[in-house]
Amino acid sequence: MKQTTILLLIIFSSTLLTLNAQSVYNQIPKDQEALYFTSEIFNIKADGKNDVSEALQLAINKLKKEKNFGILFLPEGKYLISKTIYVPKAIRIIGYGENRPEFILGKNTAGYQNENNYMFWFTNNLVEENEQPRDAGAGTFYSAISNIDFRIEK
């Protein structure tokens, strides 16, 4: 009985720690080679109400086309998306700020009700308009999304 109580306490404590996880990067990381997904550069509002899907995909594609690899830094905020975001190999999206940035899939977003769709899809390369994406493979381990929360509204 005592072991069960201790086990439940450990599970409960770890769940609380996960729910209240803080941002790993509290301040803006300095990297001259990185691209920053800010309102000044991409004319977006990170308010959770304005769709940033097109601008986010544009930023990811810009980084891939210009450097073939790199980091897209995402500042604290709420980022509403309405379509699948394709992340090609060697691109990393990293959040920063006092609170982690959050990607939000809005309630009743078209294409996500009856179809099997992805918020983010790690791909082998850039996905141009009207092309079928190719899944990431063993050589695409360099892609990542970190220090960012996800929310799917019901």
Side-chain angles (χ1 to χ4, degrees):
M1 178 69 174
K2 188 175 182 179
Q3 289 177 334
T4 304
T5 304
I6 291 172
L7 180 61
L8 288 174
L9 182 60
I10 291 170
I11 292 170
F12 181 72
S13 297
S14 65
T15 302
L16 285 178
L17 288 173
T18 303
L19 292 175
N20 294 320
Q22 295 296 310
S23 176
V24 176
Y25 305 105
N26 292 325
Q27 297 178 353
I28 186 169
K30 303 292 183 202
D31 185 341
Q32 293 178 344
E33 297 297 316
L35 185 58
Y36 294 83
F37 191 64
T38 62
S39 59
E40 296 83 18
I41 299 172
F42 290 97
N43 194 29
I44 52 133
K45 289 184 182 178
D47 59 4
K49 297 175 183 164
N50 292 286
D51 189 358
V52 301
S53 301
E54 295 294 330
L56 181 59
Q57 191 66 67
L58 178 72
I60 291 167
N61 291 355
K62 175 181 173 62
L63 192 56
K64 183 67 177 174
K65 287 177 182 176
E66 291 179 3
K67 300 185 185 239
N68 199 36
F69 63 90
I71 298 172
L72 178 66
F73 282 118
L74 195 79
E76 178 178 340
K78 299 187 181 304
Y79 299 89
L80 181 68
I81 63 167
S82 63
K83 66 178 198 169
T84 301
I85 304 298
Y86 299 105
V87 182
K89 63 183 171 187
I91 299 297
R92 295 179 182 191
I93 304 170
I94 301 174
Y96 68 90
E98 284 297 314
N99 297 300
R100 289 187 217 169
E102 181 179 47
F103 286 125
I104 302 168
L105 183 66
K107 185 178 181 178
N108 298 322
T109 301
Y112 289 87
Q113 301 311 305
N114 299 318
E115 298 86 9
N116 291 328
N117 238 334
Y118 301 103
M119 287 175 71
F120 286 78
W121 188 340
F122 288 91
T123 62
N124 188 46
N125 217 333
L126 280 174
V127 178
E128 299 294 342
E129 198 169 329
N130 300 320
E131 279 187 8
Q132 283 293 100
R134 291 182 49 207
D135 280 338
T140 57
F141 285 121
Y142 302 111
S143 301
I145 296 176
S146 65
N147 200 47
I148 297 172
D149 290 332
F150 291 80
R151 178 167 34 119
I152 300 174
E153 294 181 338
K154 294 182 179 182

